[in-house]
Amino acid sequence: MTTTPRHRPVVPAPVDVPSGRSVHTETPAPGDPRLARLSLNQATVKRWSLTQAVDGCLRAGLPAIGLWREHVQETGLERSARLVRDAGLRVSSYCRGGFLSDPSRTDALEDNRRAIDEAAELGAPVLVMVAGGLPEGDRDLAGARERVAEGIHALAPYAAERGVRLGLEPLHPLFCADRAVLSTLGQALDLAEQFSPEVVGVVVDTYHVWWDPAVFDQIARAGAAGRITSFQVCDWITPLPVDSLLGRGMVGDGHIDARALHRAVLAAGYEGDVEWEVFNEDVWSADGDEVIATMARRHAECVL
Amino acid sequence: MTTTPRHRPVVPAPVDVPSGRSVHTETPAPGDPRLARLSLNQATVKRWSLTQAVDGCLRAGLPAIGLWREHVQETGLERSARLVRDAGLRVSSYCRGGFLSDPSRTDALEDNRRAIDEAAELGAPVLVMVAGGLPEGDRDLAGARERVAEGIHALAPYAAERGVRLGLEPLHPLFCADRAVLSTLGQALDLAEQFSPEVVGVVVDTYHVWWDPAVFDQIARAGAAGRITSFQVCDWITPLPVDSLLGRGMVGDGHIDARALHRAVLAAGYEGDVEWEVFNEDVWSADGDEVIATMARRHAECVL
């Protein structure tokens, strides 16, 4: 631990969290080039305030953070922007806008415009867009998808004016009914291609796309057009937990070959941050610094 | 209830099972043309023996049954074949073979050959093939998919000689890690097209394919080549139950537009049976005759 700077508390970490697996790799210390593109998505340390998350990034030497609206609202927009800026952290993404499929949600466009404004103020290059699922009692999937496309058309000029890209995130088909009718990277690209790449791109999240037989072709297609706005990683673990929203694991604990997908986005020209976004009750219950230390080790071991 | 024949016990059924929803449609009686292509997959009445399932089909006037190996083994192969034949029921499918992705399962081919023999003896036109998931600790999805293709190549001549088609069933991507690395109809067709349509086709199951943005195109592609071996229906219900294998609902209780998918397979030239295959603990706990009555009503109401 000779490279650990004085301001970092030395926490004994013989095991990874939450798996309890023995540590295979020494934790990369601040300044280690393997951390140069590692970003902490706030959802991974959900119970931390923004201040705590920023401090956690600084202690671990992470250069970037992915922000969530809930946390930013809690802290206040202006204060959040200042906190992150003063810490010298990059904002890798702002989560999230979207939910454009339900015609009864009449404030959806207005709410998305506010999210775009917030992203601009925070210096976030991209607002991550989750499409939204089928409205209650509705089985018209094609109709829901059309409404999502109409919503993106309505929002794109506003986003372009403010220099914020919309990152369309296909979600695993597991979520098609209740969260996102955009289910594949190819489908997200079909929509994104109706706009300039500077305005609308796609989010590649290992959890959502790993199963797709076309994923490597679609990553190449997205990259060739400069449309990969974000690359997020976590693992698919089995058995799925009771709440299927929380079935994401630390990379290395599940079934996804994250390294192959990371290489594919790099080969496709992606130069942005690699955001760790892990929705998992056991991760949330663990100590935040240990979560980040595990992330840093697993990033070196299983992603790079 | 004037059309109910004497051999059918009159069971008061004011509600559908397991939802408890009020009945909207009178139960189609035996001989009703709406039952002409309705098949009971045994998995829907899992706790019934084959004898009970055959009797249940006869009472309700169902002309076809989808058989499962477990139940057939329990009853004995020869006796099962005789039971079904004597009852005058069509066998719509035999479930299931496959699980070809794990190289440590050295008996997989032999076991599949036995399943093909059984299907032939039962007069089943198709053996439903579930690919198998990633082997324990393995993240090489492409490799697993190659092994499945190799397995189908090894089995196809054997199946062809015995007049049994192999029906490749893409499973919902939810199951990619642990049950089936074939995840889309397009992917299953890419493999099936390496063989004659008389030997290898695909199974279209609403639960597995409904979310796929390409599903209607792929159904048309499958039908044009005469490759749809089976059409199975059930619904996607939310929230997913604790055991995600059992999250299938009675058509009409969830989010899938089964009628649109049924029309698509008909338009693509499919003339076979419509098998109701519902894995659901609440359905299994319900009275089998009420399950079949609900099926018959919902078939008339939500599928045809």
Side-chain angles (χ1 to χ4, degrees), chain A residues 1 8-23 25 27-28 38 40 44-45 48 52 55-57 59-60 62 250 253 276 278 282-299:
Chain A
M1 303 295 272
R8 184 160 177 264
V10 177
V11 180
V15 295
D16 287 338
V17 290
S19 62
R21 204 190 75 175
S22 296
V23 165
T25 311
T27 311
L38 179 54
L40 172 71
T44 306
V45 290
W48 266 0
Q52 289 175 300
D55 288 348
C57 287
R59 278 194 298 275
L62 265 52
M250 284 286 182
D253 287 346
W276 277 63
V278 185
D282 295 331
V283 170
W284 293 341
S285 304
D287 173 79
D289 285 310
E290 288 198 40
V291 168
I292 296 179
T294 301
M295 262 177 58
R297 290 189 294 267
R298 291 290 181 87
H299 190 69

Side-chain angles (χ1 to χ4, degrees), chain A residues 134 139 141 145 172-174 176-178 183-184 187 210-213 236 238 240 242 244 252-257, chain B residues 134 139 141 145 172-174 176-178 183-184 187 210-213 236 238 240 242 244 252-257:
Chain A
L134 284 169
R139 295 186 181 87
L141 194 47
R145 286 167 172 163
H172 193 286
L174 168 58
C176 187
D178 47 2
S183 306
T184 68
Q187 186 191 10
W210 74 281
W211 59 271
D212 185 351
W236 179 277
T238 50
L240 291 188
V242 175
S244 57
D253 287 346
H255 303 279
I256 301 177
D257 186 350
Chain B
L134 284 168
R139 295 187 181 86
L141 194 48
R145 286 168 172 163
H172 193 286
L174 168 58
C176 187
D178 46 4
S183 305
T184 68
Q187 187 193 7
W210 74 282
W211 60 271
D212 185 349
W236 179 278
T238 51
L240 291 186
V242 174
S244 56
D253 287 345
H255 303 279
I256 301 177
D257 186 351

Side-chain angles (χ1 to χ4, degrees), chain A residues 219-233:
Chain A
I219 286 174
R221 173 185 168 199
R227 287 195 194 271
I228 304 176
T229 65
S230 316
F231 180 58
Q232 298 181 325
V233 298

